[in-house]
Structure formats: structure tokens, C-alpha cells
Amino acid sequence: MNIYPKVGIDNIQLGMNRRQVTDILGEPLEINTEKGDVEWVYTQNLELSFQREDLYLLGVITIGCKSARLYSKRIIGCNEGELTNIFPFLSLEDDFEEFGKDYVSQEKELSVWVTDGNVTNVSIFPEYDSTGEIPIWPKLSTVQI
């Protein structure tokens, strides 16, 4: 699976509605609802979040599949040293000690979670307007994936 910052993974794009997602991936294995937000869980450690504040459009994609690639390079399973060498645009934002570390790129709208010294998942977020409140969804008709 290819990760495209601010866009999505493979043919799943941020800003899609739930119908568009099920047309591509089928029904999720699990659906979790919390405070009105909905999270769909699929095989290959794929989680899709639809938030009420975003009118239930796909707002966050989290992937933990070992086949995930960022800029054609493997990221899931990398150790922390490899992560910072291969992806120097990521910087440590939070260290939760034994619970893990969160590396981020604000510019690329990525969050990379490191647990026990290895990357376990990557979360992809949309770009936001200058207020930081309104997502700028990729244009489905113009984005080449």
C-alpha cells in the first residue's frame, strides 16, 4: 500500500464519504463509535475515521500494514534510527515513554507512532486552511494515484 501525504493510501482518499469507501474496500470488519465519530477497521491494520465535525467524510487514515510504503520506502517496522534517517522531515513531537513515541510532519500532515523502538503505524491527515479548522480535501477528479 502506498501512502500519499495529505491525500490517502492507494485508491482511498481523504474526504471520501462512507459509500465511496465501501464501494472500494467493502464493508469493514469492525465499526467503533465514540462521541458521534465513527471508526472503521479493515484487515491489514487499516483504520478509517469519519468524524462528525467533518460531516462524516474520511478524515484520518491509520495504517499498520508491513507493506505500507511512504515515498516508495518501507516505513512500518523501521526502527527509530532508520525512521529518522530515511524520513528526516519527521520530528519527535511526544515521548510517552513505555507507551511509545509520536513522530510528526506538520507540513506533510503525518503522524508516525513508534512502540518498543519500531514504527507500528502511520496516520494521514488532510491539509487544513490557514485557520487550522477547515480541511482542504484532495480533489478526487484531479489527484493521480
Side-chain angles (χ1 to χ4, degrees):
M1 298 185 121
N2 291 307
I3 298 169
Y4 302 101
K6 301 187 221 178
V7 176
I9 56 160
D10 289 346
N11 55 351
I12 302 299
Q13 289 187 251
L14 296 164
M16 285 182 156
N17 64 41
R18 291 181 277 188
R19 176 66 177 242
Q20 290 169 310
V21 171
T22 55
D23 285 349
I24 296 168
L25 294 177
E27 294 296 325
L29 296 175
E30 185 179 327
I31 298 174
N32 301 310
T33 305
E34 185 177 323
K35 296 180 183 173
D37 295 339
V38 178
E39 180 181 82
W40 287 4
V41 179
Y42 286 90
T43 59
Q44 302 202 31
N45 293 323
L46 178 63
E47 296 176 5
L48 307 178
S49 297
F50 303 87
Q51 299 165 333
R52 181 184 347 185
E53 67 187 33
D54 294 330
L55 303 175
Y56 294 104
L57 297 177
L58 178 57
V60 181
I61 299 171
T62 301
I63 184 163
C65 176
K66 290 206 181 255
S67 67
R69 300 279 186 267
L70 177 61
Y71 301 117
S72 302
K73 297 177 180 106
R74 180 180 66 87
I75 187 166
I76 305 299
C78 285
N79 66 44
E80 207 167 344
E82 292 171 323
L83 177 69
T84 56
N85 285 330
I86 297 170
F87 306 103
F89 53 83
L90 293 167
S91 60
L92 180 63
E93 179 163 285
D94 286 310
D95 184 346
F96 298 100
E97 298 175 8
E98 70 270 6
F99 298 107
K101 296 179 180 179
D102 187 19
Y103 282 82
V104 301
S105 169
Q106 303 259 333
E107 178 186 333
K108 298 185 184 304
E109 298 292 351
L110 293 173
S111 171
V112 179
W113 192 255
V114 175
T115 306
D116 296 327
N118 295 303
V119 174
T120 56
N121 65 56
V122 177
S123 293
I124 307 154
F125 303 91
E127 186 172 0
Y128 286 85
D129 72 354
S130 60
T131 68
E133 300 291 322
I134 300 171
I136 301 170
W137 304 116
K139 294 185 180 19
L140 297 177
S141 62
T142 61
V143 176
Q144 295 290 325
I145 295 185

